[in-house]
Amino acid sequence: ESDQLDRSSPAAQAPSCTKQAAGFSESSAFSGVEVVGIRNDKGVKDGFAEKYAQRFYTDENDAIRTEIGIPGDLFGLLGGRETYVVDKDGTVVLVFNGQLNPEKHVEAAAEAVESLPKGGFDLSSLL
């Protein structure tokens, strides 16, 4: 069991998505934290998920973004990019939104994770 970090991004292998995925995978701040990427069905590229130390879910028809309420960016042309940090009790402790600054997602999430008490979290309780 671990704390949870969920992130949404518009398209796998776009430069900003690649930076964000690499940042979460390479940072030691997320050791012991389950990192989950959510990408829209148009952004799925073969082999992308296997390159990074996180799980990816495909957001068919933007159903997850719609249910959570993640707004689109650039007048709806791009799916929203948001990062959430969820503590072991299932409480959202960070929501970070920003389409064009993937590195800031990693920085903000690392700070939030570092402030969390150590302990477990069961992802299956949310799915």
Side-chain angles (χ1 to χ4, degrees), residues 8 16 80 106:
S8 68
S16 58
V106 177

Side-chain angles (χ1 to χ4, degrees), residues 41-52:
D41 50 356
K42 298 173 200 130
V44 174
K45 304 288 188 276
D46 288 338
F48 180 82
E50 292 76 22
K51 295 177 185 176
Y52 303 102

Side-chain angles (χ1 to χ4, degrees), residues 7 9 12-30 35 37 48-49 51-54 56 81 102-103 105-107:
R7 61 184 197 78
S9 59
Q13 293 183 344
S16 58
C17 297
T18 300
K19 283 182 189 176
Q20 189 175 10
F24 283 117
S25 291
E26 295 168 2
S27 174
S28 62
F30 305 108
V35 178
F48 180 82
K51 295 177 185 176
Y52 303 102
Q54 55 202 266
F56 288 90
R81 180 186 306 274
E103 296 90 352
H105 285 259
V106 177
E107 293 168 13

Side-chain angles (χ1 to χ4, degrees), residues 4-8 20 24 34-38 57 68 82-86 94 121 123 126:
Q4 172 78 29
L5 185 144
D6 296 319
R7 61 184 197 78
S8 68
Q20 189 175 10
F24 283 117
E34 185 167 6
V35 178
V36 177
I38 300 170
Y57 290 96
I68 294 173
E82 287 196 351
T83 296
Y84 301 86
V85 175
V86 182
L94 171 75
F121 175 76
L123 171 64
L126 294 178

